[in-house]
Amino acid sequence: MTDPTVPTYKDLLWPTLTAVRALDGSGSIAEISSKVIESERFSEEQQAILNNKGSKSLLEERIGWARSYLKGMGLLTNSRRVWSLTEYGRTVRLDEIDKLHRDYQQTARNRSRQESNQATEPAQEAVAPLEDELPLPDSSAVESGQEAWREVLREALVAMSPDAFERLSQRLLREAGFYNTHVTKLSGDGGIDGWGKYRISLVSFPVFFQCKRYRQAVGAPEVQAFRGALSGRGDRGLMITTGTFTEPAKKEATRDGAIPIDLIDGDQLCDLLKEYGIGVTTTIRQVEDVVIDTDFLQGM
């Protein structure tokens, strides 16, 4: 009989990290949990055990704790929807995990003591945040409010390797609400770089995407070729480029009677990356405008 015992979150640290690696470096909570359960071959009995509140699977709860600890250990980071590997998370070895876990626990205990001391001694100055809480400096920072940031970002996108750009596009789709997203890893895919599912209300449907790191415009022939690759495989396509689309390409993408192709050009791509905070950090600065009411002063 299968042992129904659920591993501790500590035992799930490495399986959770390797699950994110298997998802090309990023994934939603549901995708990560599914991948851990699949790779570790947890039984239905193990998956059916609920937490103490009876509100959710104990296994998924502990995978959630593992994600949180991996973030504290500097191996994962997350946005509102997606968890992704840090640079260290991509290369860390299994034999390093235990020490990283102990170090993080000690850091958390020290932080707890500092907060406790601060609460009992309100007259003292606030304790400075720990180093791992401080934002990392961005050497490519661009003055906000200037259009130049798009050019800097576009150049960085064009400089990416093809597979890295595909993973970035996959990450963007996940942030936008797609699920079960995949990047095509084999050649001969007919121009399809990946696919995912998108849900609208009660209906979900697959969307296939193609990524083009172009400086120039994408023309109608490229849209036609992509549509040809979709024949018999899907009913909707998405083309993402760092460049632009010609007007004939735009008309071809929405041609009556043909498989619709949604287009995301370089400017839209930059805006979406900024909106979801993928490789782009936006700092809001408050500007104070002072207006002197001379009529009021003269009437005093």
Side-chain angles (χ1 to χ4, degrees):
M1 181 176 179
T2 303
D3 184 0
T5 303
V6 177
T8 65
Y9 81 83
K10 185 178 179 181
D11 293 328
L12 291 166
L13 291 172
W14 184 249
T16 301
L17 186 69
T18 55
V20 183
R21 287 178 175 177
L23 289 167
D24 300 312
S26 67
S28 66
I29 290 175
E31 286 176 320
I32 295 171
S33 295
S34 295
K35 181 61 70 174
V36 172
I37 291 171
E38 174 190 350
S39 61
E40 296 299 305
R41 299 181 181 179
F42 289 119
S43 67
E44 288 186 342
E45 289 87 351
Q46 288 173 301
Q47 297 176 51
I49 298 175
L50 301 180
N51 62 6
N52 291 334
K53 297 180 180 179
S55 57
K56 64 184 299 184
S57 161
L58 178 60
L59 179 58
E60 291 186 349
E61 182 178 75
R62 289 182 176 176
I63 293 173
W65 277 108
R67 286 195 310 272
S68 296
Y69 269 82
L70 288 168
K71 178 179 179 179
M73 292 156 62
L75 305 178
L76 289 183
T77 186
N78 71 295
S79 63
R80 185 176 59 180
R81 293 174 181 260
V82 176
W83 290 72
S84 58
L85 295 170
T86 63
E87 287 301 316
Y88 190 16
R90 294 181 184 277
T91 60
V92 68
R93 303 186 309 271
L94 174 59
D95 59 8
E96 298 176 88
I97 295 295
D98 190 54
K99 181 179 185 303
L100 289 171
H101 178 252
R102 291 197 307 270
D103 290 346
Y104 173 64
Q105 285 185 312
Q106 185 61 52
T107 298
R109 282 193 288 266
N110 292 341
R111 182 188 298 116
S112 179
R113 293 193 191 99
Q114 289 175 338
E115 292 174 349
S116 178
N117 292 338
Q118 183 180 356
T120 56
E121 301 177 18
Q124 293 183 351
E125 293 185 0
V127 178
L130 298 176
E131 184 176 351
D132 62 359
E133 294 177 322
L134 297 174
L136 295 176
D138 181 5
S139 59
S140 300
V142 180
E143 284 293 312
S144 61
Q146 297 180 359
E147 291 299 311
W149 70 268
R150 284 194 180 88
E151 294 302 321
V152 175
L153 177 55
R154 212 178 340 250
E155 287 299 315
L157 295 174
V158 172
M160 296 176 72
S161 65
D163 57 340
F165 187 60
E166 289 173 4
R167 290 196 300 271
L168 179 72
S169 300
Q170 178 189 39
R171 169 73 182 275
L172 176 60
L173 295 184
R174 283 173 170 156
E175 293 284 2
F178 282 72
Y179 64 101
N180 289 344
T181 56
H182 301 272
V183 170
T184 303
K185 297 182 181 300
L186 301 177
S187 59
D189 60 326
I192 295 175
D193 293 323
W195 67 92
K197 287 187 176 181
Y198 191 74
R199 179 178 295 277
I200 299 178
S201 186
L202 302 178
V203 180
S204 64
F205 53 92
V207 177
F208 293 80
F209 65 89
Q210 184 183 77
C211 310
K212 289 188 176 296
R213 294 177 303 113
Y214 278 16
R215 294 183 186 276
Q216 67 272 26
V218 178
E222 288 91 341
V223 176
Q224 292 169 346
F226 180 45
R227 181 180 283 123
L230 294 179
S231 180
R233 302 182 67 176
D235 298 323
R236 190 128 201 146
L238 174 66
M239 292 188 75
I240 304 172
T241 182
T242 53
T244 60
F245 293 97
T246 64
E247 287 304 314
K250 295 176 183 178
K251 292 180 180 179
E252 178 60 30
T254 57
R255 178 165 54 86
D256 290 341
I259 295 174
I261 308 294
D262 293 300
L263 308 177
I264 297 178
D265 65 19
D267 283 343
Q268 292 171 308
L269 177 58
C270 289
D271 289 341
L272 287 168
L273 294 175
K274 176 175 175 286
E275 176 183 350
Y276 291 108
I278 306 174
V280 181
T281 300
T282 302
T283 301
I284 305 298
R285 295 184 300 176
Q286 183 176 354
V287 178
E288 187 179 62
D289 291 323
V290 180
V291 178
I292 308 301
D293 189 347
T294 55
D295 291 339
F296 171 80
L297 294 175
Q298 292 173 359
M300 291 297 292

